[in-house]
Amino acid sequence: MKIEVLFPEMCNLFGDSSNMKYLQQCLPQAEFVYTPFDSEPAFVTEEVALVYIGAMTERAQQKIADKLQPYQARICQLIDGQKTIFLATGNACEVFFDYMENEDGTRDQGLGIFAGFYAKRDLFHRYNGLVWGTFEDMDIIGFKTQFTMAYGDNENCAFMPVNRGIGLNKQSRLEGVRRGSFYGTYLVGPLLVLNPPFTRYLLGKMGVEQPQLAYPEVVEQAYQQRLAEFKDPKVQYE
């Protein structure tokens, strides 16, 4: 089994790299390919079970969108055929939108894989918040820290509805985007460590029979404790 981590020298903000470090502990026999920015992605010509891309600076987004543009059709083929899982965390999902709009109205073009979706940047105001949502009957918890709000109709393609916190923007109750085997969420940090049920789900989708997590008792205990805290009505989400 091959797992690809795209552009780790650029897509590594907010501890997102810990997602793959933990997955490597869960899949010690798997081959992890860390593709640098100046190389062709492995998914273009090889069979890859999962492709991961983490949060990046706003300046890097256009560079990465341009880098992936020649492979746009290939990405659509893989996710629509559910041949390869794509997981994008933080603002990485914006690269797959139509565009990212700056404060002055100029736009950085995305891949257009999620047509009708765009992000608006406000580099003078960072949003920080907690999120508790429900994905496939699983509780998902996490953190947001971003200079953007996203817009688009994700009623039928959301990553998950939120119980507390915000969705694509402060008026939305639907978080992230999903298309075929593509999962895009604005949650940052060690998402897979924080959410063992979702990690087991991903492993199952990757074809792992009877998925086993690394340090199961520790991550499960931490998850239950944090989930109880997130459900506490006294906890402030912003």
Side-chain angles (χ1 to χ4, degrees):
M1 178 181 294
K2 183 173 292 187
I3 296 166
E4 181 170 24
V5 182
L6 289 179
F7 321 134
E9 73 273 36
M10 300 173 72
C11 306
N12 57 16
L13 300 184
F14 312 120
D16 278 10
S17 57
S18 295
N19 284 310
M20 293 301 102
K21 291 178 181 178
Y22 181 64
L23 198 62
Q24 204 159 6
Q25 294 289 313
C26 299
L27 296 171
Q29 304 304 318
E31 178 185 358
F32 281 73
V33 178
Y34 289 81
T35 302
F37 183 74
D38 60 357
S39 297
E40 180 182 78
F43 71 78
V44 177
T45 57
E46 302 177 37
E47 184 174 327
V48 178
L50 181 143
V51 175
Y52 175 72
I53 181 167
M56 66 199 74
T57 66
E58 284 69 28
R59 182 173 295 181
Q61 285 181 304
Q62 184 66 76
K63 295 178 181 178
I64 289 175
D66 291 343
K67 172 73 176 184
L68 294 177
Q69 188 61 51
Y71 317 119
Q72 194 257 24
R74 173 64 172 168
I75 294 172
C76 291
Q77 176 190 35
L78 291 174
I79 62 176
D80 290 340
Q82 302 197 41
K83 298 179 180 179
T84 299
I85 294 171
F86 276 70
L87 176 62
T89 55
N91 64 358
C93 58
E94 296 174 357
V95 170
F96 301 85
F97 292 172
D98 282 339
Y99 61 87
M100 296 139 283
E101 184 174 295
N102 297 303
E103 295 93 336
D104 62 1
T106 59
R107 297 177 177 180
D108 289 344
Q109 295 301 313
L111 296 176
I113 289 175
F114 288 90
F117 286 81
Y118 63 97
K120 297 190 72 171
R121 294 172 177 153
D122 182 355
L123 299 183
F124 292 101
H125 300 91
R126 179 187 290 278
Y127 174 82
N128 295 296
L130 308 179
V131 173
W132 163 37
T134 305
F135 173 89
E136 302 270 338
D137 298 324
M138 293 173 258
D139 288 307
I140 299 287
I141 51 179
F143 311 94
K144 288 192 173 190
T145 179
Q146 57 199 74
F147 284 118
T148 56
M149 290 291 166
Y151 301 88
D153 183 4
N154 66 339
E155 183 175 356
N156 297 314
C157 63
F159 176 67
M160 65 177 182
V162 296
N163 304 310
R164 296 186 69 187
I166 70 170
L168 285 181
N169 54 66
K170 291 185 177 182
Q171 288 72 49
S172 171
R173 305 296 298 173
L174 298 172
E175 206 284 318
V177 290
R178 181 175 176 180
R179 172 177 167 179
S181 57
F182 183 104
Y183 305 91
T185 173
Y186 274 89
L187 299 185
V188 299
L191 174 69
L192 300 187
V193 181
L194 294 179
N195 295 280
F198 180 64
T199 305
R200 290 192 192 93
Y201 169 88
L202 277 185
L203 291 172
K205 287 293 184 179
M206 292 163 61
V208 178
E209 297 183 6
Q210 300 180 340
Q212 301 294 321
L213 300 184
Y215 319 111
E217 295 181 1
V218 175
V219 295
E220 187 62 38
Q221 181 180 0
Y223 169 70
Q224 293 298 337
Q225 179 177 338
R226 190 172 286 106
L227 181 59
E229 294 172 351
F230 275 46
K231 288 184 176 182
D232 187 340
K234 297 179 181 178
V235 172
Q236 295 185 3
Y237 269 62
E238 296 183 1

